[in-house]
Amino acid sequence: MEDDAPVIYGLEFQARALTPQTAETDAIRFLVGTQSLRYDNQIHIIDFDDENNIINKNVLLHQVGEIWHISTSPADKGVLATCYNKTSDTKVMTCAAVWRMPKELESGSHESPDDSSSNTQTLELLCHLDNTAHGNMACVMWEPMGDGKKIISLADNNILLWDLQESSAKAVLSSSTALEGKGQLKFTSGRWSPHHNCTQIATANDTTVRGWDTRSMRQIYCIENAHGQLVRDLDFNPNKQYYLASCGDDCKVKFWDTRNVTEPVKTLEEHSHWVWNVRYNHSHDQLILTGSSDSRVILSNMVSISSEPFGHMVDDDELSDQEDQHQEEKIKEPLQDSVIATYEEHEDSVYAVEWSSADPWLFASLSYDGRLVINRVPRALKYHILL
Amino acid sequence: MAAATAGSGAGSGAAGSPEATGGSTGGGGWRRPHGPLQRYYGPSTAEAAEAPPDPTDINGPHFDPEVFMTKVRSECPLGQLLAREAALSREIRALDSDMQTLLYENYNKFISATDTIRKMKVDFRHMEAEMDDLAANMAAISASSARVSAALQDRHRRGAQLAGVQALLRKLQALVEVPGRLRRWAGTEPARALRCHARARAVLRHYRHLPSFRAIEDESHAIMAELAQRLRTRLREETLDPKELTECVEMLLQLEEPAEELSEEFLSQAGARLEAELAALEAELPAADLSGTATTPLPPASDILDFVDRGSSAFVGTLCQLAGSYRALFGGDTGRLEPFAAALATRYFALLERRLSLERGLGDTSLLTFFLGCLGDVRQALAAPRPPGKEGPGLPDLLATLAASVLGQLKAVLAYVQLFTARDVAFASLPYFKGEFCVTAVREGLVVAFVRWLCRTARGFADGPAERGAPAAPPALLLLLARLCLDYENSTISYILTLTDEQFPPQDSGPAVTPGPALCAEARAAAQRLLDHYVQVQGAAVAQMLRKSVETRDWLGTVEPRNVRAVMKRVVEDITAIDVQVGQLFEEGVRRAQSSDSSRRAFSVYSSSRAPGRYAPSYTPSAPMDTHLLSNIQKLFSERIDIFSPVEFNKVSVLTGIIKISLKTLLECVRLRTLGRFGLQQVQVDGHYLQLYLWRFASDERVVQGLLDEVAASAAHRCLDPVPMEHSVVELICERG
């Protein structure tokens, strides 16, 4: 079975920020934010035409500064949030804002790429998340499965929960908490758990991973020394509520059961430099994607700790007798966690990997030199999981 | 004869003559091996079927003279006919004369036969009369014989009766004598008495309704009971050796004493005996409470070998003998024997263990403790603060001491254990002991297990819970252990194994042994793991320093650089120290040859010859890939650098690994910052300084160069106002610093 070749798209600037358009479930669309200190920064809306293997892009200007983090509303296709650097001669401040893209770009336009680049459009500012009192914004998280009204931002050592009001034109700080401790504590990243009615988030600072309850804004668990060095990223298993993946500067990816945090459930050591990003596949949580500054993207199959440790379960009533037998045979197959593929299309550090929100078998990775690579899960594995 | 002649005479003309047929079968002879035979004895069946009955064949069964005559007459020329007639008449004459000769001969024979018969007739008449006489005589003889036997019959019967009575009387006599004999033998030869009793018993029991026999039986019973009593008393004596004990019980069994009771008795007797032996063994051990107290335990009274030898020959021998005879005596039911033997054996082993524990320096546990002790010493030596001016013991010395003392201890233990295989020790000569002991116990259990354990312990320092809070092993210890494992792989393992095999030659049929190469591979893996870990730990330490220095500095508002930052000097110092440390234990390694003035190489972020577009991208949206084309092409041709990758066992490789980790960290950290003009210049200065001092440590200075170039490029990218410093100024600052 021949796999499709990866599709590569090059941006003219360095880039770190990548996100799928979360609210879009039909078209494959990614947003990339660039980093340039001397030119106007851009947000590239990348449409991928799966059938023809063609990329369509639209460019939006983001003039306020270079983008360090980008996230999209789970409810409104046109709304997104960025964390950007505001630089003056003596100071750099990372701020966050919520934006709306022009209406016609929400669902992608079908202009040819050449045309779209000539008439670049601008984002419409909805509101700033005022952080003057809180410090630099590390990331903005939208409430998963929510109505796009609640966001949490991490600013230095503060967790800020905002309510977006008046159709996102106003952001009201509804609650906040600060992480206290000796030394200068700074959150590096965080994720909002889709479980427990979206009342939990996890954050990373230095080598520690912490869980928080968003109702009380209290810490609910703490994994001290989760990694030997800095923790770079986290992700929640979308199907198993207590499972959490983390990655960091010790080149490892660790999987945790938040009910027992003394030891990781599993550890992966495949990368040869810092792991910047870890992502669970949204539907098949055995598929783990990691991006690293060794310029590689690795797709792993962690069957043994997934929600489908015995393969895809078919409901009983859907099974005829014959299928029943087939099912039993499948269950007997030994399970093995393994690296499925190592993607080496990048030549610089990969700072972001993301699964598509529309196609569970497709993912994008972004390296610092502005190269965006779209890859698919190998077909053999896809059919193995599905059938 | 006539036929043949006739055949040959007529054959020249007759196509169907036998000669011709014979010739044709002769031609077909090759087909059947028995062809010649058939030709001799007549036409084959096949031939007979082939050829129709030939009436002209003079020898054939279907010969018809009329047809033949007609044929001859009609076919043969006259000359031939005449010749044939002459031949025939010649033949007839010869036959006539032959017939006459025969007739005369027969007549003569007939005459002589007639004479003989006449003579025989006269002789037979005489013989008939003599035969009649003989018959009469025989009749007279048989009559007198019958008379004699009739007269003797009665007397013969009486004789037989008397003989029967005498036999019975003899038996009775024996029976009557039984008590006496029993009494006589009971004292001296109980076994004989038993045999005698066994023989008589059945008869006595059968005839017990007769008073006299009952008396005999009662008496013999009484004697036997007495005997049994005596035997029992004897059984309870303590001086019986196992053989006597067995005999005794065997006799009692023959006396139909209850087996159940006897087996108990037997076991208790045997138990007492074995207890005594155990007690004797125990007496040689110092009392248990004594060995527990702080006072020095008394030196064991006897040599350990003696002890084990005696134990195995006396106690184990007796136990086996007793168990064997128990089986023989009481059949297959071993329900009682097993717990009995098990209990005793357990006690024996406990004693043996106690005895062995008195021997210091024996067994692998002490070896392990010793090794750990050595490691502790080394660790302490490494951690001890060095008085200024006075160098502590160097790593090579520590390594040598460690290796030598471990090896010495191992040898000492081996030498000690070897005593067990000395020739004069009885159990050492048992074949199964030798094989088991040499291979399983010493080679596998002691030597191989020790090496494995050593590798595992060493690995433990690398895999250990270093990042989960436990105090991590000092890097120098990792390095030391890596070297130790490597030495083991290179030479020590094979040396130890050779030594062991010499001292404890493995048996041919012994169990499989772990081959040396497998152990070596384990040691190598451990060494590799340790060295990788060392690189990671040291790299992480340097990287941490760099990361903190980049993260905490305000790169925007910094002033113009006048010095190399202190942290860079510290990095160079640390790496130099690591270089010294590694150099003490590992070889130099191969460095890719480079021009000698590498240190002079310009570290310039803006050297115009190098990818000018890379650092000042022009905004050209229509051609997205253009700006990075040059740098991408450059990357295409440079090898991908794996940062945390396994290193080789040499100094250069180790140092290269550490430098790679450090510089990659610097690169990633710089990319996360925003720099002002002077920030960029500071990075430039720092980079040049690192370049000046680090290239000599790396195996390939291009790696250092490449990484530092990337740092510079990234710094330029992250700079708001990228104005580089003059190269000469950079050099000046670095030289001054």
Side-chain angles (χ1 to χ4, degrees), chain A residues 38-39 42 66 254 262 348-349 351, chain B residues 467-468 617 619 664 668 671 718-719:
Chain A
R38 293 184 284 280
Y39 301 96
Q42 305 166 337
E66 52 175 10
K254 294 187 179 182
T262 50
D348 206 334
S349 303
Y351 293 133
Chain B
E467 60 191 53
R468 301 287 295 170
Y619 180 41
K664 179 78 176 174
E668 293 294 340
R671 282 180 174 184
R718 300 298 311 153
C719 183

mmCIF file with all atom_site columns, all heavy atoms in Angstrom, chain A residues 38-39 42 66 254 262 348-349 351, chain B residues 467-468 617 619 664 668 671 718-719:
data_model
loop_
_atom_site.group_PDB
_atom_site.id
_atom_site.type_symbol
_atom_site.label_atom_id
_atom_site.label_alt_id
_atom_site.label_comp_id
_atom_site.label_asym_id
_atom_site.label_entity_id
_atom_site.label_seq_id
_atom_site.pdbx_PDB_ins_code
_atom_site.Cartn_x
_atom_site.Cartn_y
_atom_site.Cartn_z
_atom_site.occupancy
_atom_site.B_iso_or_equiv
_atom_site.pdbx_formal_charge
_atom_site.auth_seq_id
_atom_site.auth_comp_id
_atom_site.auth_asym_id
_atom_site.auth_atom_id
_atom_site.pdbx_PDB_model_num
ATOM 1   N N   . ARG A 1 38  ? 11.249 42.320 12.349 1.00 0.00 ? 38  ARG A N   1
ATOM 2   C CA  . ARG A 1 38  ? 11.443 43.530 11.560 1.00 0.00 ? 38  ARG A CA  1
ATOM 3   C C   . ARG A 1 38  ? 10.350 43.748 10.519 1.00 0.00 ? 38  ARG A C   1
ATOM 4   O O   . ARG A 1 38  ? 10.274 44.776 9.911  1.00 0.00 ? 38  ARG A O   1
ATOM 5   C CB  . ARG A 1 38  ? 12.802 43.457 10.878 1.00 0.00 ? 38  ARG A CB  1
ATOM 6   C CG  . ARG A 1 38  ? 13.932 43.520 11.884 1.00 0.00 ? 38  ARG A CG  1
ATOM 7   C CD  . ARG A 1 38  ? 15.272 43.557 11.255 1.00 0.00 ? 38  ARG A CD  1
ATOM 8   N NE  . ARG A 1 38  ? 15.721 42.272 10.734 1.00 0.00 ? 38  ARG A NE  1
ATOM 9   C CZ  . ARG A 1 38  ? 16.245 41.306 11.506 1.00 0.00 ? 38  ARG A CZ  1
ATOM 10  N NH1 . ARG A 1 38  ? 16.341 41.490 12.808 1.00 0.00 ? 38  ARG A NH1 1
ATOM 11  N NH2 . ARG A 1 38  ? 16.627 40.178 10.964 1.00 0.00 ? 38  ARG A NH2 1
ATOM 12  N N   . TYR A 1 39  ? 9.524  42.768 10.296 1.00 0.00 ? 39  TYR A N   1
ATOM 13  C CA  . TYR A 1 39  ? 8.471  42.921 9.301  1.00 0.00 ? 39  TYR A CA  1
ATOM 14  C C   . TYR A 1 39  ? 7.139  42.641 9.963  1.00 0.00 ? 39  TYR A C   1
ATOM 15  O O   . TYR A 1 39  ? 7.086  42.088 11.069 1.00 0.00 ? 39  TYR A O   1
ATOM 16  C CB  . TYR A 1 39  ? 8.687  41.969 8.131  1.00 0.00 ? 39  TYR A CB  1
ATOM 17  C CG  . TYR A 1 39  ? 10.003 42.195 7.460  1.00 0.00 ? 39  TYR A CG  1
ATOM 18  C CD1 . TYR A 1 39  ? 11.104 41.421 7.789  1.00 0.00 ? 39  TYR A CD1 1
ATOM 19  C CD2 . TYR A 1 39  ? 10.152 43.218 6.523  1.00 0.00 ? 39  TYR A CD2 1
ATOM 20  C CE1 . TYR A 1 39  ? 12.332 41.644 7.201  1.00 0.00 ? 39  TYR A CE1 1
ATOM 21  C CE2 . TYR A 1 39  ? 11.381 43.446 5.925  1.00 0.00 ? 39  TYR A CE2 1
ATOM 22  C CZ  . TYR A 1 39  ? 12.469 42.664 6.257  1.00 0.00 ? 39  TYR A CZ  1
ATOM 23  O OH  . TYR A 1 39  ? 13.671 42.883 5.687  1.00 0.00 ? 39  TYR A OH  1
ATOM 24  N N   . GLN A 1 42  ? 2.403  37.601 10.166 1.00 0.00 ? 42  GLN A N   1
ATOM 25  C CA  . GLN A 1 42  ? 1.257  37.110 9.418  1.00 0.00 ? 42  GLN A CA  1
ATOM 26  C C   . GLN A 1 42  ? 0.663  35.900 10.100 1.00 0.00 ? 42  GLN A C   1
ATOM 27  O O   . GLN A 1 42  ? 1.341  35.194 10.841 1.00 0.00 ? 42  GLN A O   1
ATOM 28  C CB  . GLN A 1 42  ? 1.704  36.692 8.002  1.00 0.00 ? 42  GLN A CB  1
ATOM 29  C CG  . GLN A 1 42  ? 2.406  37.757 7.251  1.00 0.00 ? 42  GLN A CG  1
ATOM 30  C CD  . GLN A 1 42  ? 3.116  37.195 6.039  1.00 0.00 ? 42  GLN A CD  1
ATOM 31  O OE1 . GLN A 1 42  ? 3.442  36.014 5.981  1.00 0.00 ? 42  GLN A OE1 1
ATOM 32  N NE2 . GLN A 1 42  ? 3.333  38.044 5.055  1.00 0.00 ? 42  GLN A NE2 1
ATOM 33  N N   . GLU A 1 66  ? 5.223  39.665 16.884 1.00 0.00 ? 66  GLU A N   1
ATOM 34  C CA  . GLU A 1 66  ? 5.488  38.279 16.478 1.00 0.00 ? 66  GLU A CA  1
ATOM 35  C C   . GLU A 1 66  ? 4.687  37.318 17.353 1.00 0.00 ? 66  GLU A C   1
ATOM 36  O O   . GLU A 1 66  ? 4.497  37.544 18.539 1.00 0.00 ? 66  GLU A O   1
ATOM 37  C CB  . GLU A 1 66  ? 6.974  37.954 16.544 1.00 0.00 ? 66  GLU A CB  1
ATOM 38  C CG  . GLU A 1 66  ? 7.602  38.288 17.870 1.00 0.00 ? 66  GLU A CG  1
ATOM 39  C CD  . GLU A 1 66  ? 9.042  37.829 17.916 1.00 0.00 ? 66  GLU A CD  1
ATOM 40  O OE1 . GLU A 1 66  ? 9.563  37.445 16.870 1.00 0.00 ? 66  GLU A OE1 1
ATOM 41  O OE2 . GLU A 1 66  ? 9.615  37.834 19.013 1.00 0.00 ? 66  GLU A OE2 1
ATOM 42  N N   . LYS A 1 254 ? 6.565  11.293 28.592 1.00 0.00 ? 254 LYS A N   1
ATOM 43  C CA  . LYS A 1 254 ? 6.089  10.437 29.677 1.00 0.00 ? 254 LYS A CA  1
ATOM 44  C C   . LYS A 1 254 ? 4.573  10.463 29.727 1.00 0.00 ? 254 LYS A C   1
ATOM 45  O O   . LYS A 1 254 ? 3.943  11.479 29.417 1.00 0.00 ? 254 LYS A O   1
ATOM 46  C CB  . LYS A 1 254 ? 6.651  10.909 31.017 1.00 0.00 ? 254 LYS A CB  1
ATOM 47  C CG  . LYS A 1 254 ? 8.159  10.747 31.095 1.00 0.00 ? 254 LYS A CG  1
ATOM 48  C CD  . LYS A 1 254 ? 8.665  11.063 32.474 1.00 0.00 ? 254 LYS A CD  1
ATOM 49  C CE  . LYS A 1 254 ? 10.181 10.871 32.517 1.00 0.00 ? 254 LYS A CE  1
ATOM 50  N NZ  . LYS A 1 254 ? 10.724 11.110 33.836 1.00 0.00 ? 254 LYS A NZ  1
ATOM 51  N N   . THR A 1 262 ? 3.389  9.081  41.270 1.00 0.00 ? 262 THR A N   1
ATOM 52  C CA  . THR A 1 262 ? 4.754  8.817  41.725 1.00 0.00 ? 262 THR A CA  1
ATOM 53  C C   . THR A 1 262 ? 5.639  8.295  40.594 1.00 0.00 ? 262 THR A C   1
ATOM 54  O O   . THR A 1 262 ? 6.819  8.593  40.546 1.00 0.00 ? 262 THR A O   1
ATOM 55  C CB  . THR A 1 262 ? 4.766  7.802  42.873 1.00 0.00 ? 262 THR A CB  1
ATOM 56  O OG1 . THR A 1 262 ? 3.975  6.697  42.471 1.00 0.00 ? 262 THR A OG1 1
ATOM 57  C CG2 . THR A 1 262 ? 4.196  8.404  44.139 1.00 0.00 ? 262 THR A CG2 1
ATOM 58  N N   . ASP A 1 348 ? 15.053 22.069 10.448 1.00 0.00 ? 348 ASP A N   1
ATOM 59  C CA  . ASP A 1 348 ? 15.321 22.886 11.630 1.00 0.00 ? 348 ASP A CA  1
ATOM 60  C C   . ASP A 1 348 ? 14.458 22.317 12.763 1.00 0.00 ? 348 ASP A C   1
ATOM 61  O O   . ASP A 1 348 ? 13.683 21.386 12.561 1.00 0.00 ? 348 ASP A O   1
ATOM 62  C CB  . ASP A 1 348 ? 14.976 24.351 11.347 1.00 0.00 ? 348 ASP A CB  1
ATOM 63  C CG  . ASP A 1 348 ? 15.784 25.286 12.244 1.00 0.00 ? 348 ASP A CG  1
ATOM 64  O OD1 . ASP A 1 348 ? 16.185 24.833 13.339 1.00 0.00 ? 348 ASP A OD1 1
ATOM 65  O OD2 . ASP A 1 348 ? 16.002 26.439 11.859 1.00 0.00 ? 348 ASP A OD2 1
ATOM 66  N N   . SER A 1 349 ? 14.623 22.881 13.930 1.00 0.00 ? 349 SER A N   1
ATOM 67  C CA  . SER A 1 349 ? 13.867 22.388 15.093 1.00 0.00 ? 349 SER A CA  1
ATOM 68  C C   . SER A 1 349 ? 12.371 22.465 14.836 1.00 0.00 ? 349 SER A C   1
ATOM 69  O O   . SER A 1 349 ? 11.863 23.453 14.305 1.00 0.00 ? 349 SER A O   1
ATOM 70  C CB  . SER A 1 349 ? 14.201 23.246 16.303 1.00 0.00 ? 349 SER A CB  1
ATOM 71  O OG  . SER A 1 349 ? 15.582 23.227 16.513 1.00 0.00 ? 349 SER A OG  1
ATOM 72  N N   . TYR A 1 351 ? 8.913  22.966 16.361 1.00 0.00 ? 351 TYR A N   1
ATOM 73  C CA  . TYR A 1 351 ? 8.364  23.507 17.604 1.00 0.00 ? 351 TYR A CA  1
ATOM 74  C C   . TYR A 1 351 ? 6.880  23.221 17.762 1.00 0.00 ? 351 TYR A C   1
ATOM 75  O O   . TYR A 1 351 ? 6.324  23.455 18.825 1.00 0.00 ? 351 TYR A O   1
ATOM 76  C CB  . TYR A 1 351 ? 8.616  25.013 17.685 1.00 0.00 ? 351 TYR A CB  1
ATOM 77  C CG  . TYR A 1 351 ? 10.080 25.349 17.826 1.00 0.00 ? 351 TYR A CG  1
ATOM 78  C CD1 . TYR A 1 351 ? 10.668 26.327 17.051 1.00 0.00 ? 351 TYR A CD1 1
ATOM 79  C CD2 . TYR A 1 351 ? 10.877 24.667 18.736 1.00 0.00 ? 351 TYR A CD2 1
ATOM 80  C CE1 . TYR A 1 351 ? 12.017 26.633 17.180 1.00 0.00 ? 351 TYR A CE1 1
ATOM 81  C CE2 . TYR A 1 351 ? 12.220 24.968 18.870 1.00 0.00 ? 351 TYR A CE2 1
ATOM 82  C CZ  . TYR A 1 351 ? 12.792 25.944 18.092 1.00 0.00 ? 351 TYR A CZ  1
ATOM 83  O OH  . TYR A 1 351 ? 14.125 26.234 18.219 1.00 0.00 ? 351 TYR A OH  1
ATOM 84  N N   . GLU B 2 467 ? 16.633 11.443 38.532 1.00 0.00 ? 467 GLU B N   1
ATOM 85  C CA  . GLU B 2 467 ? 15.811 12.626 38.342 1.00 0.00 ? 467 GLU B CA  1
ATOM 86  C C   . GLU B 2 467 ? 14.615 12.636 39.270 1.00 0.00 ? 467 GLU B C   1
ATOM 87  O O   . GLU B 2 467 ? 13.818 13.534 39.230 1.00 0.00 ? 467 GLU B O   1
ATOM 88  C CB  . GLU B 2 467 ? 15.348 12.694 36.888 1.00 0.00 ? 467 GLU B CB  1
ATOM 89  C CG  . GLU B 2 467 ? 14.542 11.500 36.480 1.00 0.00 ? 467 GLU B CG  1
ATOM 90  C CD  . GLU B 2 467 ? 14.357 11.501 34.971 1.00 0.00 ? 467 GLU B CD  1
ATOM 91  O OE1 . GLU B 2 467 ? 15.362 11.586 34.258 1.00 0.00 ? 467 GLU B OE1 1
ATOM 92  O OE2 . GLU B 2 467 ? 13.209 11.442 34.547 1.00 0.00 ? 467 GLU B OE2 1
ATOM 93  N N   . ARG B 2 468 ? 14.469 11.610 40.057 1.00 0.00 ? 468 ARG B N   1
ATOM 94  C CA  . ARG B 2 468 ? 13.315 11.583 40.954 1.00 0.00 ? 468 ARG B CA  1
ATOM 95  C C   . ARG B 2 468 ? 13.733 11.911 42.382 1.00 0.00 ? 468 ARG B C   1
ATOM 96  O O   . ARG B 2 468 ? 13.180 11.403 43.338 1.00 0.00 ? 468 ARG B O   1
ATOM 97  C CB  . ARG B 2 468 ? 12.613 10.227 40.902 1.00 0.00 ? 468 ARG B CB  1
ATOM 98  C CG  . ARG B 2 468 ? 12.109 9.852  39.531 1.00 0.00 ? 468 ARG B CG  1
ATOM 99  C CD  . ARG B 2 468 ? 10.896 10.629 39.100 1.00 0.00 ? 468 ARG B CD  1
ATOM 100 N NE  . ARG B 2 468 ? 9.722  10.359 39.934 1.00 0.00 ? 468 ARG B NE  1
ATOM 101 C CZ  . ARG B 2 468 ? 8.607  11.057 39.861 1.00 0.00 ? 468 ARG B CZ  1
ATOM 102 N NH1 . ARG B 2 468 ? 8.514  12.076 39.038 1.00 0.00 ? 468 ARG B NH1 1
ATOM 103 N NH2 . ARG B 2 468 ? 7.594  10.746 40.626 1.00 0.00 ? 468 ARG B NH2 1
ATOM 104 N N   . PRO B 2 617 ? 16.545 38.648 5.735  1.00 0.00 ? 617 PRO B N   1
ATOM 105 C CA  . PRO B 2 617 ? 15.571 38.208 4.738  1.00 0.00 ? 617 PRO B CA  1
ATOM 106 C C   . PRO B 2 617 ? 14.803 39.393 4.165  1.00 0.00 ? 617 PRO B C   1
ATOM 107 O O   . PRO B 2 617 ? 14.389 40.282 4.894  1.00 0.00 ? 617 PRO B O   1
ATOM 108 C CB  . PRO B 2 617 ? 14.649 37.289 5.553  1.00 0.00 ? 617 PRO B CB  1
ATOM 109 C CG  . PRO B 2 617 ? 14.839 37.692 6.956  1.00 0.00 ? 617 PRO B CG  1
ATOM 110 C CD  . PRO B 2 617 ? 16.210 38.236 7.081  1.00 0.00 ? 617 PRO B CD  1
ATOM 111 N N   . TYR B 2 619 ? 11.528 40.698 2.313  1.00 0.00 ? 619 TYR B N   1
ATOM 112 C CA  . TYR B 2 619 ? 10.143 40.243 2.303  1.00 0.00 ? 619 TYR B CA  1
ATOM 113 C C   . TYR B 2 619 ? 9.689  40.073 0.864  1.00 0.00 ? 619 TYR B C   1
ATOM 114 O O   . TYR B 2 619 ? 9.436  41.029 0.148  1.00 0.00 ? 619 TYR B O   1
ATOM 115 C CB  . TYR B 2 619 ? 9.282  41.270 3.036  1.00 0.00 ? 619 TYR B CB  1
ATOM 116 C CG  . TYR B 2 619 ? 7.838  40.888 3.089  1.00 0.00 ? 619 TYR B CG  1
ATOM 117 C CD1 . TYR B 2 619 ? 7.475  39.555 3.327  1.00 0.00 ? 619 TYR B CD1 1
ATOM 118 C CD2 . TYR B 2 619 ? 6.838  41.833 2.909  1.00 0.00 ? 619 TYR B CD2 1
ATOM 119 C CE1 . TYR B 2 619 ? 6.153  39.200 3.378  1.00 0.00 ? 619 TYR B CE1 1
ATOM 120 C CE2 . TYR B 2 619 ? 5.506  41.474 2.959  1.00 0.00 ? 619 TYR B CE2 1
ATOM 121 C CZ  . TYR B 2 619 ? 5.166  40.150 3.191  1.00 0.00 ? 619 TYR B CZ  1
ATOM 122 O OH  . TYR B 2 619 ? 3.852  39.806 3.246  1.00 0.00 ? 619 TYR B OH  1
ATOM 123 N N   . LYS B 2 664 ? 23.811 23.254 21.523 1.00 0.00 ? 664 LYS B N   1
ATOM 124 C CA  . LYS B 2 664 ? 22.435 23.179 21.035 1.00 0.00 ? 664 LYS B CA  1
ATOM 125 C C   . LYS B 2 664 ? 21.498 23.870 22.022 1.00 0.00 ? 664 LYS B C   1
ATOM 126 O O   . LYS B 2 664 ? 20.553 24.550 21.622 1.00 0.00 ? 664 LYS B O   1
ATOM 127 C CB  . LYS B 2 664 ? 22.041 21.708 20.858 1.00 0.00 ? 664 LYS B CB  1
ATOM 128 C CG  . LYS B 2 664 ? 20.625 21.475 20.380 1.00 0.00 ? 664 LYS B CG  1
ATOM 129 C CD  . LYS B 2 664 ? 20.451 21.698 18.899 1.00 0.00 ? 664 LYS B CD  1
ATOM 130 C CE  . LYS B 2 664 ? 19.024 21.350 18.483 1.00 0.00 ? 664 LYS B CE  1
ATOM 131 N NZ  . LYS B 2 664 ? 18.746 21.680 17.091 1.00 0.00 ? 664 LYS B NZ  1
ATOM 132 N N   . GLU B 2 668 ? 18.929 26.951 21.211 1.00 0.00 ? 668 GLU B N   1
ATOM 133 C CA  . GLU B 2 668 ? 17.492 26.958 21.476 1.00 0.00 ? 668 GLU B CA  1
ATOM 134 C C   . GLU B 2 668 ? 17.112 28.107 22.398 1.00 0.00 ? 668 GLU B C   1
ATOM 135 O O   . GLU B 2 668 ? 16.049 28.698 22.262 1.00 0.00 ? 668 GLU B O   1
ATOM 136 C CB  . GLU B 2 668 ? 17.050 25.615 22.091 1.00 0.00 ? 668 GLU B CB  1
ATOM 137 C CG  . GLU B 2 668 ? 17.172 24.430 21.151 1.00 0.00 ? 668 GLU B CG  1
ATOM 138 C CD  . GLU B 2 668 ? 16.227 24.521 19.960 1.00 0.00 ? 668 GLU B CD  1
ATOM 139 O OE1 . GLU B 2 668 ? 15.231 25.264 20.039 1.00 0.00 ? 668 GLU B OE1 1
ATOM 140 O OE2 . GLU B 2 668 ? 16.500 23.853 18.949 1.00 0.00 ? 668 GLU B OE2 1
ATOM 141 N N   . ARG B 2 671 ? 17.056 31.476 20.659 1.00 0.00 ? 671 ARG B N   1
ATOM 142 C CA  . ARG B 2 671 ? 15.893 31.613 19.797 1.00 0.00 ? 671 ARG B CA  1
ATOM 143 C C   . ARG B 2 671 ? 14.644 32.044 20.561 1.00 0.00 ? 671 ARG B C   1
ATOM 144 O O   . ARG B 2 671 ? 13.682 32.491 19.970 1.00 0.00 ? 671 ARG B O   1
ATOM 145 C CB  . ARG B 2 671 ? 15.599 30.280 19.116 1.00 0.00 ? 671 ARG B CB  1
ATOM 146 C CG  . ARG B 2 671 ? 16.518 29.997 17.973 1.00 0.00 ? 671 ARG B CG  1
ATOM 147 C CD  . ARG B 2 671 ? 16.138 28.675 17.388 1.00 0.00 ? 671 ARG B CD  1
ATOM 148 N NE  . ARG B 2 671 ? 16.903 28.412 16.183 1.00 0.00 ? 671 ARG B NE  1
ATOM 149 C CZ  . ARG B 2 671 ? 16.709 27.344 15.426 1.00 0.00 ? 671 ARG B CZ  1
ATOM 150 N NH1 . ARG B 2 671 ? 15.794 26.461 15.771 1.00 0.00 ? 671 ARG B NH1 1
ATOM 151 N NH2 . ARG B 2 671 ? 17.408 27.155 14.350 1.00 0.00 ? 671 ARG B NH2 1
ATOM 152 N N   . ARG B 2 718 ? 16.865 37.149 15.865 1.00 0.00 ? 718 ARG B N   1
ATOM 153 C CA  . ARG B 2 718 ? 16.103 37.594 17.020 1.00 0.00 ? 718 ARG B CA  1
ATOM 154 C C   . ARG B 2 718 ? 16.481 39.011 17.432 1.00 0.00 ? 718 ARG B C   1
ATOM 155 O O   . ARG B 2 718 ? 16.115 39.439 18.510 1.00 0.00 ? 718 ARG B O   1
ATOM 156 C CB  . ARG B 2 718 ? 16.333 36.640 18.209 1.00 0.00 ? 718 ARG B CB  1
ATOM 157 C CG  . ARG B 2 718 ? 15.947 35.209 17.994 1.00 0.00 ? 718 ARG B CG  1
ATOM 158 C CD  . ARG B 2 718 ? 14.481 35.031 17.728 1.00 0.00 ? 718 ARG B CD  1
ATOM 159 N NE  . ARG B 2 718 ? 13.652 35.739 18.689 1.00 0.00 ? 718 ARG B NE  1
ATOM 160 C CZ  . ARG B 2 718 ? 12.428 36.182 18.430 1.00 0.00 ? 718 ARG B CZ  1
ATOM 161 N NH1 . ARG B 2 718 ? 11.891 35.988 17.250 1.00 0.00 ? 718 ARG B NH1 1
ATOM 162 N NH2 . ARG B 2 718 ? 11.735 36.812 19.351 1.00 0.00 ? 718 ARG B NH2 1
ATOM 163 N N   . CYS B 2 719 ? 17.262 39.655 16.631 1.00 0.00 ? 719 CYS B N   1
ATOM 164 C CA  . CYS B 2 719 ? 17.754 40.981 17.017 1.00 0.00 ? 719 CYS B CA  1
ATOM 165 C C   . CYS B 2 719 ? 16.921 42.068 16.352 1.00 0.00 ? 719 CYS B C   1
ATOM 166 O O   . CYS B 2 719 ? 16.598 41.993 15.164 1.00 0.00 ? 719 CYS B O   1
ATOM 167 C CB  . CYS B 2 719 ? 19.227 41.103 16.615 1.00 0.00 ? 719 CYS B CB  1
ATOM 168 S SG  . CYS B 2 719 ? 19.914 42.666 17.130 1.00 0.00 ? 719 CYS B SG  1
#
